[in-house]
């Protein structure tokens, strides 16, 4: 039985694969590079189109905005239409099984106002574990005109985050990175190790078990003592791995969960922004 709001099982997808209203989107990607087209062309779920993490789900790196800036939304919407997706399509997104690329795409679809959008639990790894079919065949969907309804409230800007860091806001700020990066003990990617002042650490991978989301009742234990009516802002290193935490929190009953899209890599791009537990520098 499907009891979750934003997650579909592989079995559900297999049973509905021939439904003409279903749009399958492959988001396989190597997180370190963002590239995934080769993985898609090697094998994917029949009928699935590919959205590339680096090319379609992210924009060009600039001075600010982080290592994976949000894409130009007009270009993203154009990609959605060319994929044959309409406003009433049931969109199911999946990746190789690491959850983050599909969750990033899910967030972007929600951001442009798409309501019937889900991630497939466990990704392609779980799909293949069930011996469901894969193919190399690339579909040719009929292009559609997609009219977005942008939900700007889903984004938290650097000024709102700065207010938290300076103790001027009671909004909850969650750092989704590993505890080692949060504590400033290691930093493989960004300018300086540490975390945004005021943030609490809830590593994104703790929302999952072997690439599958934990049961909502178990998820709720991660947030014991937190007010589900209070606004929450979630960040990670570059706005990718924060998104599984957003899904987890919404599944657990939180009502106002926003993404600091540029995340920690954007935060440290501003010389005046303070860092808690500053560790090693990559400059």
């Amino acid at each position: 039985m499907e009891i979750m709001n934003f997650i579909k099982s592989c079995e559900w997808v297999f049973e509905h694969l021939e439904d003409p209203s279903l749009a399958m989107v492959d988001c396989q990607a190597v997180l370190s590079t963002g590239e995934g087209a080769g993985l898609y062309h090697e094998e994917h779920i029949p009928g699935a189109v590919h959205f590339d993490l680096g090319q379609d789900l992210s924009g060009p790196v600039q001075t600010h905005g982080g290592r994976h800036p949000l894409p130009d939304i007009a270009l993203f919407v154009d990609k959605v239409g060319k994929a044959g997706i309409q406003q009433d399509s049931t969109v199911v997104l999946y990746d190789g099984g690491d959850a983050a690329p599909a969750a990033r795409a899910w967030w972007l679809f929600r951001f442009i106002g798409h309501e019937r959008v889900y991630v497939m639990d466990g990704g392609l790894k779980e799909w293949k574990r069930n011996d469901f079919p894969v193919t190399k065949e690339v579909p040719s969907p009929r292009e559609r005109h997609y009219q977005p309804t942008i939900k700007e409230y889903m984004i938290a800007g650097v000024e709102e985050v700065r207010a938290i860091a300076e103790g001027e806001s009671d909004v909850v700020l969650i750092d989704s990175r590993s505890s080692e990066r949060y504590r400033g003990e290691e930093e493989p990617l960004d300018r300086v190790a540490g975390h945004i002042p005021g943030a609490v650490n809830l590593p994104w991978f703790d929302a999952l078990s072997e690439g599958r989301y934990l049961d909502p009742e178990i998820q709720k234990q991660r947030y014991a003592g937190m007010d589900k009516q209070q606004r929450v802002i979630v960040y990670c290193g570059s706005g990718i791995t924060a998104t599984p935490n957003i899904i987890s929190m919404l599944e657990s009953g939180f009502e106002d969960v926003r993404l600091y899209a540029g995340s920690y890599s954007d935060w440290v791009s501003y010389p005046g922004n303070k860092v808690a537990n500053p560790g090693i520098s990559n400059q």
Side-chain angles (χ1 to χ4, degrees):
M1 179 180 295
E2 296 293 317
I3 60 172
M4 291 184 279
N5 296 313
F6 307 113
I7 303 168
K8 295 293 186 185
S9 67
C10 292
E11 292 82 1
W12 185 95
V13 174
F14 179 71
E15 291 171 1
H16 293 80
L17 203 55
E18 301 302 321
D19 187 336
S21 68
L22 179 66
M24 293 298 300
V25 178
D26 178 289
C27 304
Q28 292 184 79
V30 178
L31 278 176
S32 60
T33 65
E35 198 279 331
L39 298 172
Y40 170 76
H41 288 291
E42 181 64 28
E43 59 180 0
H44 54 266
I45 294 175
V49 297
H50 180 65
F51 278 47
D52 193 79
L53 179 63
Q55 299 298 316
D56 303 315
L57 307 179
S58 306
V61 175
Q62 301 180 44
T63 302
H64 302 298
R67 284 180 282 105
H68 290 102
L70 293 181
D72 181 301
I73 295 302
L75 294 178
F76 179 74
V77 169
D78 183 63
K79 172 79 175 183
V80 170
K82 287 179 177 177
I85 297 171
Q86 305 178 88
Q87 279 85 350
D88 61 351
S89 297
T90 298
V91 178
V92 176
L93 310 132
Y94 70 91
D95 50 38
D98 44 15
R104 165 72 165 219
W106 170 89
W107 188 93
L108 281 166
F109 270 91
R110 296 281 295 179
F111 183 65
I112 66 170
H114 203 90
E115 297 296 331
R116 297 169 62 181
V117 57
Y118 309 91
V119 295
M120 188 180 78
D121 206 17
L124 191 63
K125 182 178 180 181
E126 185 68 19
W127 179 265
K128 292 169 64 178
R129 185 179 291 136
N130 283 274
D131 292 322
F132 293 148
V134 294
T135 184
K136 294 178 182 287
E137 184 177 351
V138 176
S140 299
R142 177 186 172 189
E143 184 172 344
R144 306 286 187 172
H145 173 72
Y146 193 95
Q147 183 62 46
T149 304
I150 307 300
K151 297 184 176 181
E152 293 286 354
Y153 65 85
M154 290 175 55
I155 292 180
V158 66
E159 292 298 334
E160 187 174 1
V161 174
R162 191 173 287 129
I164 300 171
E166 294 176 355
E168 299 172 357
S169 171
D170 62 356
V171 172
V172 176
L173 183 63
I174 292 177
D175 186 319
S176 301
R177 300 171 304 155
S178 70
S179 297
E180 292 78 11
R181 291 180 74 186
Y182 173 81
R183 291 193 297 262
E185 297 169 358
E186 64 178 41
E187 183 46 66
L189 298 168
D190 292 314
R191 185 176 65 82
V192 61
H195 63 268
I196 300 173
V200 296
N201 187 216
L202 288 174
W204 69 279
F205 41 79
D206 287 347
L208 307 158
S209 175
E210 297 183 352
R212 300 187 66 182
Y213 286 87
L214 299 175
D215 182 272
E217 291 304 315
I218 299 176
Q219 297 274 18
K220 290 176 183 177
Q221 298 175 18
R222 297 180 71 213
Y223 313 115
M226 293 178 62
D227 183 356
K228 292 188 167 102
Q229 279 71 51
Q230 189 172 9
R231 180 178 301 174
V232 178
I233 296 173
V234 186
Y235 77 89
C236 55
S238 64
I240 304 294
T241 57
T243 51
N245 254 350
I246 292 176
I247 291 176
S248 166
M249 298 193 81
L250 292 174
E251 291 288 356
S252 301
F254 286 82
E255 297 179 1
D256 186 357
V257 185
R258 308 184 181 202
L259 174 67
Y260 174 26
S263 286
Y264 188 73
S265 54
D266 176 64
W267 180 259
V268 297
S269 71
Y270 295 90
N273 283 349
K274 296 179 180 180
V275 172
N277 292 352
I280 56 174
S281 174
N282 287 330
Q283 289 189 351

